[in-house]
mmCIF file of all heavy atoms in Angstrom:
data_model
loop_
_atom_site.group_PDB
_atom_site.id
_atom_site.type_symbol
_atom_site.label_atom_id
_atom_site.label_comp_id
_atom_site.label_asym_id
_atom_site.label_seq_id
_atom_site.Cartn_x
_atom_site.Cartn_y
_atom_site.Cartn_z
ATOM 1 N N ALA A 134 243.885 246.135 80.277
ATOM 2 C CA ALA A 134 242.503 246.361 79.864
ATOM 3 C C ALA A 134 241.960 247.675 80.414
ATOM 4 O O ALA A 134 241.246 248.409 79.728
ATOM 5 C CB ALA A 134 241.628 245.198 80.325
ATOM 6 N N ARG A 135 242.293 247.989 81.649
ATOM 7 C CA ARG A 135 241.808 249.238 82.249
ATOM 8 C C ARG A 135 242.355 250.450 81.486
ATOM 9 O O ARG A 135 241.634 251.416 81.229
ATOM 10 C CB ARG A 135 242.225 249.308 83.708
ATOM 11 C CG ARG A 135 241.763 250.576 84.428
ATOM 12 C CD ARG A 135 242.039 250.466 85.910
ATOM 13 N NE ARG A 135 243.443 250.137 86.152
ATOM 14 C CZ ARG A 135 243.888 249.591 87.280
ATOM 15 N NH1 ARG A 135 243.047 249.296 88.264
ATOM 16 N NH2 ARG A 135 245.177 249.332 87.433
ATOM 17 N N THR A 136 243.616 250.389 81.110
ATOM 18 C CA THR A 136 244.207 251.476 80.333
ATOM 19 C C THR A 136 243.490 251.656 78.999
ATOM 20 O O THR A 136 243.126 252.774 78.606
ATOM 21 C CB THR A 136 245.704 251.191 80.076
ATOM 22 O OG1 THR A 136 246.384 251.108 81.322
ATOM 23 C CG2 THR A 136 246.323 252.287 79.230
ATOM 24 N N TYR A 137 243.279 250.545 78.286
ATOM 25 C CA TYR A 137 242.604 250.590 76.985
ATOM 26 C C TYR A 137 241.180 251.140 77.132
ATOM 27 O O TYR A 137 240.743 252.000 76.362
ATOM 28 C CB TYR A 137 242.558 249.180 76.392
ATOM 29 C CG TYR A 137 241.982 249.107 75.004
ATOM 30 C CD1 TYR A 137 242.792 249.178 73.878
ATOM 31 C CD2 TYR A 137 240.613 248.952 74.811
ATOM 32 C CE1 TYR A 137 242.267 249.108 72.599
ATOM 33 C CE2 TYR A 137 240.071 248.882 73.541
ATOM 34 C CZ TYR A 137 240.900 248.958 72.434
ATOM 35 O OH TYR A 137 240.360 248.897 71.171
ATOM 36 N N LEU A 138 240.471 250.661 78.155
ATOM 37 C CA LEU A 138 239.076 251.038 78.328
ATOM 38 C C LEU A 138 238.910 252.504 78.705
ATOM 39 O O LEU A 138 237.993 253.182 78.215
ATOM 40 C CB LEU A 138 238.426 250.154 79.392
ATOM 41 C CG LEU A 138 238.048 248.748 78.933
ATOM 42 C CD1 LEU A 138 237.647 247.897 80.126
ATOM 43 C CD2 LEU A 138 236.909 248.816 77.921
ATOM 44 N N ARG A 139 239.750 253.025 79.562
ATOM 45 C CA ARG A 139 239.583 254.407 79.990
ATOM 46 C C ARG A 139 239.783 255.376 78.826
ATOM 47 O O ARG A 139 239.076 256.387 78.721
ATOM 48 C CB ARG A 139 240.540 254.722 81.136
ATOM 49 C CG ARG A 139 240.058 254.137 82.459
ATOM 50 C CD ARG A 139 240.892 254.584 83.636
ATOM 51 N NE ARG A 139 240.204 254.278 84.892
ATOM 52 C CZ ARG A 139 240.735 254.438 86.086
ATOM 53 N NH1 ARG A 139 241.988 254.888 86.208
ATOM 54 N NH2 ARG A 139 240.038 254.156 87.167
ATOM 55 N N ILE A 140 240.703 255.061 77.959
ATOM 56 C CA ILE A 140 240.884 255.899 76.771
ATOM 57 C C ILE A 140 239.665 255.798 75.866
ATOM 58 O O ILE A 140 239.158 256.804 75.350
ATOM 59 C CB ILE A 140 242.159 255.479 76.019
ATOM 60 C CG1 ILE A 140 243.394 255.752 76.877
ATOM 61 C CG2 ILE A 140 242.257 256.198 74.677
ATOM 62 C CD1 ILE A 140 244.668 255.151 76.323
ATOM 63 N N THR A 141 239.178 254.586 75.675
ATOM 64 C CA THR A 141 238.015 254.375 74.809
ATOM 65 C C THR A 141 236.766 255.025 75.385
ATOM 66 O O THR A 141 235.974 255.643 74.653
ATOM 67 C CB THR A 141 237.771 252.868 74.603
ATOM 68 O OG1 THR A 141 238.974 252.262 74.111
ATOM 69 C CG2 THR A 141 236.649 252.630 73.607
ATOM 70 N N PHE A 142 236.554 254.896 76.690
ATOM 71 C CA PHE A 142 235.398 255.517 77.322
ATOM 72 C C PHE A 142 235.465 257.042 77.226
ATOM 73 O O PHE A 142 234.432 257.708 77.079
ATOM 74 C CB PHE A 142 235.297 255.099 78.792
ATOM 75 C CG PHE A 142 234.669 253.756 78.996
ATOM 76 C CD1 PHE A 142 235.297 252.774 79.756
ATOM 77 C CD2 PHE A 142 233.426 253.455 78.454
ATOM 78 C CE1 PHE A 142 234.723 251.535 79.958
ATOM 79 C CE2 PHE A 142 232.835 252.212 78.644
ATOM 80 C CZ PHE A 142 233.484 251.252 79.397
ATOM 81 N N ALA A 143 236.656 257.601 77.301
ATOM 82 C CA ALA A 143 236.797 259.057 77.192
ATOM 83 C C ALA A 143 236.318 259.555 75.830
ATOM 84 O O ALA A 143 235.842 260.687 75.704
ATOM 85 C CB ALA A 143 238.254 259.465 77.428
ATOM 86 N N GLY A 144 236.439 258.715 74.811
ATOM 87 C CA GLY A 144 235.970 259.093 73.477
ATOM 88 C C GLY A 144 234.680 258.412 73.077
ATOM 89 O O GLY A 144 234.364 258.326 71.882
ATOM 90 N N ALA A 145 233.903 257.959 74.062
ATOM 91 C CA ALA A 145 232.684 257.202 73.762
ATOM 92 C C ALA A 145 231.674 258.009 72.950
ATOM 93 O O ALA A 145 230.939 257.450 72.130
ATOM 94 C CB ALA A 145 232.041 256.717 75.058
ATOM 95 N N PHE A 146 231.644 259.329 73.156
ATOM 96 C CA PHE A 146 230.664 260.146 72.442
ATOM 97 C C PHE A 146 230.869 260.062 70.928
ATOM 98 O O PHE A 146 229.912 260.203 70.159
ATOM 99 C CB PHE A 146 230.738 261.599 72.914
ATOM 100 C CG PHE A 146 231.980 262.323 72.480
ATOM 101 C CD1 PHE A 146 231.983 263.089 71.319
ATOM 102 C CD2 PHE A 146 233.149 262.237 73.218
ATOM 103 C CE1 PHE A 146 233.128 263.756 70.912
ATOM 104 C CE2 PHE A 146 234.293 262.905 72.813
ATOM 105 C CZ PHE A 146 234.284 263.665 71.656
ATOM 106 N N THR A 147 232.114 259.821 70.490
ATOM 107 C CA THR A 147 232.363 259.711 69.055
ATOM 108 C C THR A 147 231.672 258.481 68.474
ATOM 109 O O THR A 147 231.127 258.528 67.368
ATOM 110 C CB THR A 147 233.875 259.636 68.772
ATOM 111 O OG1 THR A 147 234.413 258.422 69.327
ATOM 112 C CG2 THR A 147 234.610 260.814 69.374
ATOM 113 N N MET A 148 231.677 257.387 69.219
ATOM 114 C CA MET A 148 231.028 256.168 68.763
ATOM 115 C C MET A 148 229.513 256.362 68.714
ATOM 116 O O MET A 148 228.844 255.931 67.771
ATOM 117 C CB MET A 148 231.369 255.005 69.690
ATOM 118 C CG MET A 148 230.757 253.677 69.269
ATOM 119 S SD MET A 148 231.103 252.349 70.434
ATOM 120 C CE MET A 148 230.095 252.862 71.835
ATOM 121 N N PHE A 149 228.945 257.033 69.724
ATOM 122 C CA PHE A 149 227.508 257.258 69.764
ATOM 123 C C PHE A 149 227.054 258.091 68.573
ATOM 124 O O PHE A 149 226.082 257.750 67.888
ATOM 125 C CB PHE A 149 227.133 257.964 71.073
ATOM 126 C CG PHE A 149 226.943 257.050 72.244
ATOM 127 C CD1 PHE A 149 227.958 256.208 72.673
ATOM 128 C CD2 PHE A 149 225.748 257.019 72.935
ATOM 129 C CE1 PHE A 149 227.797 255.372 73.750
ATOM 130 C CE2 PHE A 149 225.564 256.177 74.019
ATOM 131 C CZ PHE A 149 226.583 255.351 74.437
ATOM 132 N N VAL A 150 227.730 259.209 68.343
ATOM 133 C CA VAL A 150 227.351 260.091 67.242
ATOM 134 C C VAL A 150 227.530 259.387 65.898
ATOM 135 O O VAL A 150 226.699 259.524 64.995
ATOM 136 C CB VAL A 150 228.173 261.394 67.292
ATOM 137 C CG1 VAL A 150 227.913 262.246 66.051
ATOM 138 C CG2 VAL A 150 227.834 262.189 68.552
ATOM 139 N N LEU A 151 228.594 258.595 65.782
ATOM 140 C CA LEU A 151 228.843 257.866 64.539
ATOM 141 C C LEU A 151 227.746 256.843 64.280
ATOM 142 O O LEU A 151 227.236 256.735 63.151
ATOM 143 C CB LEU A 151 230.208 257.177 64.605
ATOM 144 C CG LEU A 151 230.659 256.398 63.370
ATOM 145 C CD1 LEU A 151 230.730 257.312 62.148
ATOM 146 C CD2 LEU A 151 232.005 255.744 63.621
ATOM 147 N N PHE A 152 227.357 256.076 65.293
ATOM 148 C CA PHE A 152 226.298 255.077 65.144
ATOM 149 C C PHE A 152 224.992 255.723 64.691
ATOM 150 O O PHE A 152 224.355 255.289 63.730
ATOM 151 C CB PHE A 152 226.064 254.355 66.473
ATOM 152 C CG PHE A 152 226.943 253.160 66.687
ATOM 153 C CD1 PHE A 152 228.092 252.965 65.949
ATOM 154 C CD2 PHE A 152 226.627 252.222 67.652
ATOM 155 C CE1 PHE A 152 228.911 251.870 66.152
ATOM 156 C CE2 PHE A 152 227.432 251.121 67.876
ATOM 157 C CZ PHE A 152 228.581 250.944 67.122
ATOM 158 N N VAL A 153 224.591 256.765 65.422
ATOM 159 C CA VAL A 153 223.298 257.395 65.136
ATOM 160 C C VAL A 153 223.334 258.123 63.797
ATOM 161 O O VAL A 153 222.384 258.053 63.013
ATOM 162 C CB VAL A 153 222.904 258.346 66.282
ATOM 163 C CG1 VAL A 153 221.660 259.151 65.908
ATOM 164 C CG2 VAL A 153 222.644 257.551 67.560
ATOM 165 N N GLY A 154 224.420 258.828 63.513
ATOM 166 C CA GLY A 154 224.522 259.523 62.234
ATOM 167 C C GLY A 154 224.456 258.565 61.055
ATOM 168 O O GLY A 154 223.748 258.819 60.067
ATOM 169 N N ASN A 155 225.179 257.459 61.140
ATOM 170 C CA ASN A 155 225.113 256.456 60.073
ATOM 171 C C ASN A 155 223.720 255.868 59.948
ATOM 172 O O ASN A 155 223.259 255.548 58.845
ATOM 173 C CB ASN A 155 226.123 255.347 60.331
ATOM 174 C CG ASN A 155 227.540 255.737 59.937
ATOM 175 O OD1 ASN A 155 227.754 256.686 59.183
ATOM 176 N ND2 ASN A 155 228.526 255.026 60.454
ATOM 177 N N SER A 156 223.030 255.699 61.086
ATOM 178 C CA SER A 156 221.676 255.137 61.062
ATOM 179 C C SER A 156 220.695 256.085 60.391
ATOM 180 O O SER A 156 219.784 255.653 59.681
ATOM 181 C CB SER A 156 221.215 254.833 62.493
ATOM 182 O OG SER A 156 222.014 253.821 63.077
ATOM 183 N N VAL A 157 220.863 257.379 60.599
ATOM 184 C CA VAL A 157 220.004 258.361 59.931
ATOM 185 C C VAL A 157 220.213 258.295 58.422
ATOM 186 O O VAL A 157 219.245 258.290 57.641
ATOM 187 C CB VAL A 157 220.300 259.787 60.459
ATOM 188 C CG1 VAL A 157 219.605 260.834 59.593
ATOM 189 C CG2 VAL A 157 219.835 259.915 61.908
ATOM 190 N N LEU A 158 221.462 258.240 57.996
ATOM 191 C CA LEU A 158 221.743 258.122 56.564
ATOM 192 C C LEU A 158 221.174 256.820 55.998
ATOM 193 O O LEU A 158 220.617 256.795 54.900
ATOM 194 C CB LEU A 158 223.255 258.174 56.334
ATOM 195 C CG LEU A 158 223.931 259.523 56.601
ATOM 196 C CD1 LEU A 158 225.451 259.381 56.551
ATOM 197 C CD2 LEU A 158 223.464 260.570 55.598
ATOM 198 N N GLN A 159 221.319 255.754 56.762
ATOM 199 C CA GLN A 159 220.787 254.458 56.348
ATOM 200 C C GLN A 159 219.276 254.530 56.163
ATOM 201 O O GLN A 159 218.729 254.038 55.169
ATOM 202 C CB GLN A 159 221.116 253.402 57.405
ATOM 203 C CG GLN A 159 220.316 252.118 57.296
ATOM 204 C CD GLN A 159 220.310 251.329 58.590
ATOM 205 O OE1 GLN A 159 221.301 251.304 59.303
ATOM 206 N NE2 GLN A 159 219.180 250.703 58.898
ATOM 207 N N ALA A 160 218.598 255.130 57.129
ATOM 208 C CA ALA A 160 217.139 255.225 57.069
ATOM 209 C C ALA A 160 216.675 256.017 55.861
ATOM 210 O O ALA A 160 215.602 255.758 55.307
ATOM 211 C CB ALA A 160 216.613 255.869 58.347
#
């Protein structure tokens, strides 16, 4: 789990930008 999470956390900014960008389009 630690291995999986550290890789995912390193790319967390991609999830943030994707969430917000999709929300802007949705709005």
Side-chain angles (χ1 to χ4, degrees):
R135 180 172 54 201
T136 299
Y137 184 92
L138 282 170
R139 283 187 166 174
I140 295 170
T141 306
F142 279 128
F146 70 94
T147 65
M148 181 183 70
F149 276 58
V150 173
L151 182 59
F152 272 17
V153 172
N155 281 342
S156 295
V157 169
L158 291 171
Q159 164 200 324

